[in-house]
């Protein structure tokens, strides 16, 4: 059911078909105007409080949404009758192309705005089965110009494509920001002169762009000819001097790395990842000299290491550094044709592509190498474990002689010292062992810290000295270590860094021996 419309607008059309603005007609029904959308009669409201406007005089659901759109088109018709002109928009752009080296070449193009006379205007002109223009302006000295009025619906890329395919000039005038009650003089000025406008398609712009593109392509062609000549000269120099057979040629090395993850050692904070590497340096043992020249490249086939078919491909170096490879193993040799000098061969940086099978075999090799290393280390660790067990069976005197004579290479003390039950050996023995293995490593940089707790619970010393792992023995070893480390701290050798951790402070004198201070009563506790 239709209801009275509350739509307000500033434009109507008279009985004689003349576009009328609310400011040019009398109030009420005496305006004798009709709606541009639905053709129903209008009533003019021209009070003192509200802005003057038209409203429907009858019940209707028309909202007058296209009133400004139709008013603008009528402006074009009236302007044609009155011999006025329409301002177009300037066109500008930039063409970007690259030469065979990847260098960018740029050229700007520009077409100035024009003022064209409106000889005739046709509204709702069909240009194709699926394209109807708001208006078509006939211009005496150029192509017909389609004009689209943008109030609520802007033309999209599809519309631009249609005009381009027809090679039909088309200009869009943007009235989307105008007030609904814009006056007739201002609307005429906006439509004909200074409302924002853009080309949907312009033959003049296309011609300007094509003209600049011809110039740009000619510039690139000249650059490419120069670079091609340099490229050919560089390849000829390499081949004529047999540089591909020279031992100094920078053949790329293939490398694969596997890692052995190790837990932190005593005195280290983080786990270690030890690399195991396998390398391979494939070289061409024969070239077939079946050179094939293509744009920015020159290639031939050959044998690598006397048995594998492969290709070698010279290419003109580009900033991106990427080139399409041949199928199968291909050695890419980029040549920087912009910076060729007498030493250019030494600056070459060849690289292999299409070598997935080689890389897989190299990975197998490095994994085998890693596994063999792990197996050897396990065997070595087992030998060391057996050695530690054998060491634990020695007498304290034999242990001390082994540590001082074989490990520390110094003269031992006159006696083995007092027996320490928690260590299953004497004070001289366990201090000398920890001094040589743990504390000395602080000053050599192999360890960052020593921990009383870790040393007291160390499986290494449990095996080496054959001491007990029960909590009472561990607690006693912790006390022994704590007091001894504090003694070393008082001498400036160690520094207490918090809780049970100690780090190196000052390197001890060369004649210092760990048993020199065994007589301190605290270290006996």
């Amino acid at each position: 059911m239709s209801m009275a419309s509350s739509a307000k607008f500033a434009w109507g059309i008279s009985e004689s078909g003349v576009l009328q603005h609310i400011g040019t007609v009398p109030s009420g029904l005496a305006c004798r105007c009709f709606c541009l959308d639905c053709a129903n009669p209008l009533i003019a409201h021209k009070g003192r409080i509200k802005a003057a406007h038209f409203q429907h005089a009858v019940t209707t659901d028309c909202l007058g949404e296209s009133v400004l759109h139709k008013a603008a088109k009528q402006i074009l018709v009236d302007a044609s009758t009155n011999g006025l002109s329409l301002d177009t928009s300037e066109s500008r752009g930039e063409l970007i192309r690259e030469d065979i080296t990847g260098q960018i070449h740029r050229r700007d193009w520009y077409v100035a705005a024009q003022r064209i006379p409106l000889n005739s205007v046709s509204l709702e002109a069909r240009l194709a089965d699926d394209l109807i223009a708001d208006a078509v302006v006939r211009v005496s000295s150029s192509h017909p110009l389609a004009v689209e009025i943008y109030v609520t619906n802007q033309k999209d890329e599809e519309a631009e494509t249609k005009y381009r395919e027809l090679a039909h000039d088309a200009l869009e005038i943007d009235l989307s920001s105008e007030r609904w009650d814009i006056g007739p003089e201002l609307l005429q000025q906006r439509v004909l002169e200074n409302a924002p406008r853009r080309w949907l398609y312009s033959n003049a712009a296309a011609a300007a762009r094509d003209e600049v593109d011809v110039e740009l392509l000619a510039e690139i062609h000249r650059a490419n000819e120069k670079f091609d000549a340099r490229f050919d000269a560089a390849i000829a120099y390499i081949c004529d001097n047999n540089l591909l057979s020279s031992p100094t040629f920078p053949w790329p090395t293939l490398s694969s790395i596997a890692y052995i993850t190790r837990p932190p050692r005593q005195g280290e904070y983080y786990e270690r990842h030890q690399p195991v590497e396998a390398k391979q340096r494939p070289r061409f043992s024969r070239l077939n000299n079946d050179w094939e020249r293509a744009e920015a490249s020159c290639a031939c086939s050959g044998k690598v290491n006397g048995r594998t078919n492969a290709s070698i491909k010279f290419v003109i170096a580009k900033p991106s550094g990427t080139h399409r490879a041949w199928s199968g193993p291909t050695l890419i040799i980029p040549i920087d044709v912009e910076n060729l000098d007498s030493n250019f061969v030494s600056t070459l940086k060849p690289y292999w592509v299409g070598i997935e099978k080689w890389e897989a075999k190299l990975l197998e090799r490095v994994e085998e190498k890693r596994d063999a290393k792990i197996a050897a280390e396990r065997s070595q660790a087992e030998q060391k474990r057996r050695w530690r067990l054998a060491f634990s069976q020695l007498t304290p005197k034999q242990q001390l002689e082994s540590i001082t004579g074989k490990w520390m290479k110094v003269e031992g003390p006159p006696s083995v010292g007092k027996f320490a039950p928690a260590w299953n050996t004497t004070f001289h023995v366990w201090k000398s062992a920890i001094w040589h293995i743990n504390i000395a490593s602080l000053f050599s940089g192999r360890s960052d810290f020593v921990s009383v707790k870790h040393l007291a619970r160390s499986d290494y010393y449990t095996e080496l000295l054959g001491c007990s792992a029960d909590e009472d023995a561990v607690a006693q070893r912790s006390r022994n270590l704590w007091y001894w480390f504090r003694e070393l701290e008082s001498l400036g050798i160690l520094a207490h860094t918090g809780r049970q951790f100690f780090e190196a402070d000052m390197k001890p004198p060369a004649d210092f021996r760990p048993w020199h201070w065994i007589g301190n009563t605290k270290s006996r506790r």
Side-chain angles (χ1 to χ4, degrees):
M1 176 179 175
S2 296
M3 301 178 62
S5 173
S6 60
K8 297 185 293 184
F9 34 90
W11 297 89
I13 192 168
S14 69
E15 291 176 325
S16 59
V18 178
L19 186 66
Q20 298 288 347
H21 185 263
I22 186 64
T24 63
V25 298
S27 298
L29 291 173
C31 68
R32 303 184 70 82
C33 289
F34 299 87
C35 178
L36 289 167
D37 268 358
C38 65
N40 279 313
L42 300 176
I43 183 170
H45 296 279
K46 304 181 70 173
R48 296 181 178 179
I49 299 176
K50 294 183 179 180
H53 62 277
F54 286 115
Q55 263 188 316
H56 291 98
V58 297
T59 299
T60 179
D61 55 6
C62 174
L63 299 176
E65 291 178 333
S66 62
V67 168
L68 183 58
H69 185 265
K70 291 184 177 180
K73 291 192 291 185
Q74 189 61 43
I75 289 286
L76 291 172
V77 174
D78 295 344
S80 173
T81 302
N82 297 324
L84 301 179
S85 298
L86 173 67
D87 288 349
T88 63
S89 173
E90 66 177 18
S91 298
R92 65 173 67 242
E94 182 184 42
L95 290 179
I96 301 176
R97 292 183 180 274
E98 66 175 42
D99 59 35
I100 55 177
T101 68
Q103 181 178 337
I104 299 299
H105 296 252
R106 305 172 186 268
R107 285 289 183 91
D108 294 328
W109 58 269
Y110 174 76
V111 178
Q114 292 181 306
R115 175 164 291 181
I116 58 176
L118 298 176
N119 295 336
S120 67
V121 176
S122 302
L123 300 183
E124 300 299 316
R126 182 176 291 278
L127 303 178
D129 290 342
D130 57 350
L131 181 61
I132 299 176
D134 286 338
V136 171
V137 177
R138 303 292 173 180
V139 184
S140 59
S141 60
S142 65
H143 300 284
L145 171 63
V147 179
E148 300 284 2
I149 305 298
Y150 165 33
V151 177
T152 56
N153 295 308
Q154 187 176 27
K155 293 300 179 183
D156 55 15
E157 290 184 6
E158 182 180 357
E160 294 178 22
T161 300
K162 291 177 181 178
Y163 280 113
R164 183 170 60 252
E165 291 174 348
L166 292 173
H168 198 297
D169 288 331
L171 185 72
E172 183 179 65
I173 300 174
D174 182 2
L175 301 178
S176 61
S177 300
E178 303 300 333
R179 289 177 53 86
W180 63 272
D181 59 349
I182 183 173
E185 294 82 4
L186 182 56
L187 180 60
Q188 175 178 293
Q189 183 185 35
R190 299 294 281 162
V191 171
L192 299 182
E193 298 176 14
N194 55 21
R197 56 203 64 210
R198 69 184 181 101
W199 286 103
L200 301 176
Y201 178 76
S202 167
N203 281 291
R209 185 168 55 248
D210 291 344
E211 181 180 353
V212 169
D213 198 25
V214 169
E215 296 174 359
L216 185 59
L217 289 172
E219 176 184 308
I220 291 175
H221 178 69
R222 291 191 296 270
N224 287 346
E225 283 186 330
K226 178 183 68 175
F227 293 138
D228 274 334
R230 293 181 179 178
F231 184 54
D232 291 339
I235 296 174
Y237 177 82
I238 292 173
C239 294
D240 293 347
N241 291 279
N242 294 318
L243 296 182
L244 293 175
S245 303
S246 170
T248 61
F249 188 81
W251 295 102
T253 299
L254 307 181
S255 175
S256 184
I257 299 178
Y259 291 91
I260 301 174
T261 301
R262 306 184 187 282
R265 295 178 298 191
Q266 170 66 31
E268 294 179 338
Y269 291 101
Y270 307 105
E271 64 182 13
R272 294 169 293 135
H273 300 280
Q274 182 180 0
V276 178
E277 186 175 16
K279 295 182 178 181
Q280 183 180 1
R281 200 177 189 190
R283 300 186 183 188
F284 276 89
S285 53
R286 188 186 76 193
L287 291 176
N288 297 328
N289 290 322
D290 53 346
W291 292 100
E292 181 179 345
R293 186 69 162 86
E295 182 182 1
S297 69
C298 186
C300 79
S301 60
K303 292 279 187 182
V304 170
N305 298 337
R307 61 180 183 276
T308 304
N309 291 325
S311 302
I312 188 168
K313 187 173 186 180
F314 291 99
V315 297
I316 293 180
K318 292 187 176 183
S320 61
T322 58
H323 301 274
R324 183 178 180 181
W326 287 6
S327 58
T330 304
L331 180 67
I332 304 294
I333 306 179
I335 296 180
D336 185 0
V337 294
E338 294 186 272
N339 298 290
L340 289 178
D341 56 28
S342 58
N343 297 318
F344 80 94
V345 175
S346 63
T347 66
L348 295 178
K349 295 182 179 179
Y351 59 92
W352 286 98
V353 295
I355 55 171
E356 291 78 9
K357 291 183 179 179
W358 294 2
E359 291 173 329
K361 290 181 179 179
L362 197 59
L363 180 60
E364 290 179 5
R365 280 178 50 194
V366 76
E367 289 177 344
E368 290 174 358
K369 187 175 179 180
R370 178 198 60 193
D371 294 344
K373 185 176 181 63
I374 291 174
E377 289 178 351
R378 287 175 178 171
S379 175
Q380 187 179 27
E382 177 60 23
Q383 292 178 7
K384 290 182 177 180
R385 188 188 68 83
R386 291 177 181 175
W387 175 84
R388 289 194 297 271
L389 291 175
F391 185 89
S392 69
Q393 303 300 317
L394 299 177
T395 65
K397 181 179 179 181
Q398 292 171 325
Q399 291 175 339
L400 189 59
E401 288 174 350
S402 181
I403 294 173
T404 57
K406 296 180 180 180
W407 298 6
M408 300 175 65
K409 300 187 184 311
V410 298
E411 184 179 350
S415 67
V416 296
K418 184 178 179 181
F419 189 77
W423 294 90
N424 194 37
T425 189
T426 67
F427 279 87
H428 285 16
V429 171
W430 71 258
K431 285 190 174 184
S432 297
I434 289 177
W435 177 268
H436 178 74
I437 296 172
N438 299 100
I439 297 178
S441 66
L442 296 178
F443 296 98
S444 66
R446 296 196 308 272
S447 297
D448 299 318
F449 65 90
V450 290
S451 164
V452 169
K453 178 181 178 181
H454 292 164
L455 288 175
R457 293 185 177 277
S458 170
D459 292 336
Y460 178 85
Y461 287 111
T462 300
E463 289 184 349
L464 183 69
L465 303 177
C467 51
S468 173
D470 67 64
E471 291 302 317
D472 290 341
V474 170
Q476 182 59 48
R477 290 198 291 272
S478 294
R479 286 191 291 272
N480 293 150
L481 288 165
W482 173 259
Y483 289 119
W484 184 42
F485 287 174
R486 293 306 296 265
E487 287 178 0
L488 296 177
E489 181 186 22
S490 69
L491 298 174
I493 297 174
L494 295 183
H496 184 217
T497 58
R499 304 187 69 176
Q500 299 189 46
F501 294 95
F502 291 81
E503 294 180 354
D505 192 357
M506 293 188 301
K507 193 172 183 178
D511 61 348
F512 178 81
R513 301 291 181 264
W515 54 81
H516 286 174
W517 300 91
I518 195 66
N520 190 296
T521 56
K522 290 184 178 180
S523 64
R524 296 176 179 271
R525 297 181 185 179

